[in-house]
Amino acid sequence: MAARCRPNTLLATAYELKVFFSVVSKEPTEVATADIFAFITAQKKPRRGTKVVRLEDGEAGLSARTIKRRLASVSGLFGYLMTRDDLAVDRNPVPTGLANRRRSGNRGTPLLRTPRTLPRVLGPREVEEVLGALNTRRDRAMVLAMLLGGLRRCEVLGLRLGDLSPGERRVFVREGKGGHQRLIPISAQFFAVVGDYLDQERPAAEHDRLFVVLRGPTRGRPLSSDGLDEILDGVRKRTGLPRLTCHQLRPASRSSTDSFTDSTNRPGDDVTGRDARIRCSDIATSKGQCGRQARRLAARPWARSGRGRYRWGASSGPAARRPRDA
């Protein structure tokens, strides 16, 4: 796994497996499906008393997303052991789902249902409060990178001096999620703040990392993720926001930064600009999908979906049965 995954993924998977085998104290060859259900029951037990529940799903134990992620790590481990074929592991004890009564081609019931919730996005007023509560130009530049460019926390901390192109208003993400590299168009306001930070705050250092520690015994060293979390914790206390994370700033770069729209969205920046700041995949893929969907809807405005009903934009169905007023 270390050969094909990023270091953070490797550490997270190792921790999930440690949690599983601390609850199920058995060898991998002795783990059965009953142990998986016992693990799920143990993870759903209340952590802070039965009277403390989450508002999202009303549960007192760990969330379904956390349990499902841990089960995925356990299932991957047993899949690897089955592939090796040198141990007494011939089946994966983690079930993929529960069987339905209907024996059709439909998939079974999921083992755990996770709620489909919308991302928590900061509003324009909250964004202004966050920017106003930052103490240094370095902190403001990092927040603007996430806010205007959609960069993740690890991508912001991994920026180097040579990754900035002020003339083209682009930032090169060298080590993105999954090891992917991409060019991000970003507003000139970000480069103006970075210029002030380099001229007035950044100390001399032997490395080329952009964001460094400004004070203390580690002055001049690259800023760590713990340091960035400490900065956001201070902003949250000063602004009074109930929750503030780096991930909340990324969706805000698309829908909640109305005051930066004019400086960020340039002509011809509909897909290549805005979508490149958020998505990790190739922009040509997004353009191709949008184009194919539009051509398909234009060619077949009405189509039959089954059981005599009609659905807009389907790919099949008799054209003779279109509504008369269509």
Side-chain angles (χ1 to χ4, degrees), residues 43-84:
Q43 297 296 291
K44 287 187 175 182
K45 289 183 178 180
R47 301 289 173 174
R48 300 180 181 179
T50 57
K51 297 183 179 180
V52 181
V53 297
R54 286 185 302 275
L55 298 178
E56 182 179 12
D57 52 8
E59 297 290 338
L62 295 179
S63 64
R65 292 188 180 94
T66 302
I67 302 176
K68 199 170 184 178
R69 186 182 66 246
R70 293 179 177 178
L71 291 179
S73 300
V74 176
S75 178
L77 170 65
F78 282 96
Y80 167 73
L81 296 178
M82 292 172 58
T83 305
R84 287 187 52 174

Side-chain angles (χ1 to χ4, degrees), residues 79-101:
Y80 167 73
L81 296 178
M82 292 172 58
T83 305
R84 287 187 52 174
D85 201 19
D86 58 350
L87 298 175
V89 178
D90 55 353
R91 59 183 297 270
N92 196 331
V94 182
T96 56
L98 303 177
N100 289 333
R101 293 182 179 179

Side-chain angles (χ1 to χ4, degrees), residues 202-207 209 211-223:
R202 188 179 188 275
E206 298 179 354
H207 55 82
R209 287 294 182 92
F211 299 111
V212 300
V213 181
L214 300 182
R215 295 182 294 270
T218 59
R219 173 182 169 87
R221 296 183 182 179
L223 187 66

Side-chain angles (χ1 to χ4, degrees), residues 302 310 317-323:
W302 286 94
Y310 290 87
R321 298 185 179 180
R322 295 177 182 175

Side-chain angles (χ1 to χ4, degrees), residues 134-146:
L134 298 171
N135 295 327
T136 62
R137 295 176 177 84
R138 178 204 62 184
D139 301 345
R140 187 179 179 87
M142 290 189 298
V143 171
L144 287 177
M146 293 181 283

Side-chain angles (χ1 to χ4, degrees), residues 29-314:
T29 56
E30 301 175 357
V31 176
T33 305
D35 299 323
I36 302 297
F37 287 105
F39 174 74
I40 296 176
T41 303
Q43 297 296 291
K44 287 187 175 182
K45 289 183 178 180
R47 301 289 173 174
R48 300 180 181 179
T50 57
K51 297 183 179 180
V52 181
V53 297
R54 286 185 302 275
L55 298 178
E56 182 179 12
D57 52 8
E59 297 290 338
L62 295 179
S63 64
R65 292 188 180 94
T66 302
I67 302 176
K68 199 170 184 178
R69 186 182 66 246
R70 293 179 177 178
L71 291 179
S73 300
V74 176
S75 178
L77 170 65
F78 282 96
Y80 167 73
L81 296 178
M82 292 172 58
T83 305
R84 287 187 52 174
D85 201 19
D86 58 350
L87 298 175
V89 178
D90 55 353
R91 59 183 297 270
N92 196 331
V94 182
T96 56
L98 303 177
N100 289 333
R101 293 182 179 179
R102 300 177 180 177
R103 303 196 176 192
S104 59
N106 298 333
R107 298 178 59 183
T109 304
L111 188 62
L112 289 174
R113 291 188 178 274
T114 55
R116 296 183 178 181
T117 57
L118 296 176
R120 299 175 182 177
V121 181
L122 298 179
R125 180 179 299 179
E126 295 173 334
V127 170
E128 296 294 342
E129 293 178 357
V130 170
L131 293 176
L134 298 171
N135 295 327
T136 62
R137 295 176 177 84
R138 178 204 62 184
D139 301 345
R140 187 179 179 87
M142 290 189 298
V143 171
L144 287 177
M146 293 181 283
L147 188 66
L148 301 178
L151 272 69
R152 299 179 176 87
R153 178 180 63 174
C154 60
E155 296 171 348
V156 172
L157 297 176
L159 288 178
R160 302 179 182 274
L161 296 175
D163 297 338
L164 305 182
S165 300
E168 299 179 354
R169 295 184 182 180
R170 293 180 181 271
V171 173
F172 175 61
V173 178
R174 189 182 305 271
E175 297 180 358
K177 184 177 181 180
H180 300 289
Q181 298 180 350
R182 65 186 193 276
L183 282 173
I184 304 298
I186 194 170
S187 171
Q189 185 176 0
F190 164 76
F191 292 100
V193 177
V194 170
D196 295 339
Y197 156 68
L198 295 177
D199 294 337
Q200 304 177 20
E201 293 181 352
R202 188 179 188 275
E206 298 179 354
H207 55 82
D208 60 345
R209 287 294 182 92
L210 178 59
F211 299 111
V212 300
V213 181
L214 300 182
R215 295 182 294 270
T218 59
R219 173 182 169 87
R221 296 183 182 179
L223 187 66
S224 62
S225 58
D226 294 336
L228 181 54
D229 292 338
E230 184 178 354
I231 293 172
L232 291 183
D233 289 340
V235 173
R236 179 178 55 82
K237 294 178 181 179
R238 288 190 293 270
T239 56
L241 295 175
R243 181 179 175 83
L244 178 62
T245 61
C246 297
H247 193 69
Q248 283 182 297
L249 297 174
R250 298 188 65 239
S253 64
R254 170 174 291 184
S255 59
S256 298
T257 54
D258 298 339
S259 58
F260 304 109
T261 302
D262 295 336
S263 60
T264 306
N265 299 335
R266 298 183 297 275
D269 198 26
D270 51 348
V271 175
T272 308
R274 292 192 298 271
D275 205 43
R277 287 188 288 270
I278 305 298
R279 297 176 62 91
C280 302
S281 58
D282 189 8
I283 303 305
T285 305
S286 301
K287 287 184 176 180
Q289 291 176 353
C290 294
R292 287 192 297 270
Q293 183 71 8
R295 289 191 296 269
R296 186 177 64 182
L297 292 178
R300 303 180 180 90
W302 286 94
R304 192 172 182 178
S305 61
R307 295 186 180 181
R309 293 191 295 267
Y310 290 87
R311 179 167 55 92
W312 181 265

